Amino acid sequence: MPAPQVLTIVSRPFEQNSYIAWREGQGDCLVLDPGFEPDLILAAVERHNLRPVVILNTHGHSDHIAGNAAMKERWPECPLVIGIHETDKLSDPMQNLSGLFGLALTSPPADQTLAEGDQYSVAGFEFLVREIPGHSSGHVVFISQKDTPPVVFGGDVLFAGGIGRTDFPDGNFDQLAQGIRQKLYTLPDDTIVYPGHGEPTTIGHEKRTNPFVRG
């Protein structure tokens, strides 16, 4: 299997990570969590001569969906995919938290939804979908188990030295910690985690050192 290529696009003002991922030697790519600076994503896709075939959202908070509209405008045939329990956030500024900042941001509706345990194949990736609530009630992560090492696109669940905030209306620290221990810390230690904010990390490193959730 060709190695995964992962390009990180950091969007202001929340220093949120959007990702473009593809297989070496292939033109199809996925765009994950397009943020507040979609022009950076569009430019990167064109620079690498890629063709987006899906827009994936780990959850519906505004900094992770702000670029959805621009992606759909540029590639209207490209499906927008999100966890089944996050769809309301796409159209509700209060639920996606943009209303708290006076932005009233909304996204196009989902073309497809995913749930716990689903297998989702796209752009040469075969993802296992796991639901890990606690930061956002319907948050999902995408695990590519067949890569060596495995790869996780984890959104705002597990960070390098941190975890997602749990003080939002549908947040819950106990749920988040339980989900991390049961669904992420059971992965191989060399699994690479691409988080929604900050630098990539590994499961083994976080199990040993994360001050919020130890293995």
Side-chain angles (χ1 to χ4, degrees), residues 169-186:
D170 59 349
N172 184 296
F173 173 81
D174 291 338
Q175 282 186 331
L176 184 60
Q178 181 182 42
I180 290 171
R181 290 193 176 99
Q182 293 181 351
K183 299 180 182 182
L184 292 182
Y185 282 178
T186 52

Side-chain angles (χ1 to χ4, degrees), residues 24-25 30 34-35 56 80 89 102 111 116 141 176 201 205 207:
E24 187 174 352
L30 64 88
L56 293 178
L80 173 60
K89 290 185 173 71
D111 297 297
E116 170 70 24
V141 303
L176 184 60
T201 186
H205 181 76
K207 284 165 64 176

Side-chain angles (χ1 to χ4, degrees), residues 30-34 54-58 64 68 79-82 114 120 122 127 142 153:
L30 64 88
V31 175
L32 186 129
D33 287 350
V54 70
I55 305 157
L56 293 178
N57 290 160
T58 58
H64 293 256
N68 283 353
L80 173 60
V81 180
I82 194 170
L114 297 170
Y120 185 67
V122 66
F127 291 119
F142 299 95
F153 291 103

Side-chain angles (χ1 to χ4, degrees), residues 56-112:
L56 293 178
N57 290 160
T58 58
H59 63 297
H61 287 163
S62 57
D63 54 331
H64 293 256
I65 66 170
N68 283 353
M71 299 297 107
K72 289 291 286 185
E73 182 178 0
R74 175 63 179 83
W75 298 289
E77 73 288 350
C78 199
L80 173 60
V81 180
I82 194 170
I84 192 169
H85 301 299
E86 288 288 283
T87 56
D88 288 349
K89 290 185 173 71
L90 296 176
S91 59
D92 188 330
M94 294 310 296
Q95 288 196 53
N96 68 39
L97 307 180
S98 65
L100 300 178
F101 303 98
L103 297 178
L105 181 147
T106 60
S107 161
D111 297 297
Q112 182 177 351

Side-chain angles (χ1 to χ4, degrees), residues 11-80:
S11 296
R12 297 171 295 178
F14 299 104
E15 300 300 306
Q16 177 266 344
N17 294 333
S18 302
Y19 293 104
I20 303 169
W22 68 98
R23 292 288 179 191
E24 187 174 352
Q26 299 183 18
D28 288 352
C29 72
L30 64 88
V31 175
L32 186 129
D33 287 350
F36 277 104
E37 297 188 271
D39 287 350
L40 299 178
I41 300 172
L42 297 175
V45 167
E46 293 179 0
R47 186 168 63 251
H48 290 273
N49 295 313
L50 297 170
R51 180 177 59 255
V53 293
V54 70
I55 305 157
L56 293 178
N57 290 160
T58 58
H59 63 297
H61 287 163
S62 57
D63 54 331
H64 293 256
I65 66 170
N68 283 353
M71 299 297 107
K72 289 291 286 185
E73 182 178 0
R74 175 63 179 83
W75 298 289
E77 73 288 350
C78 199
L80 173 60

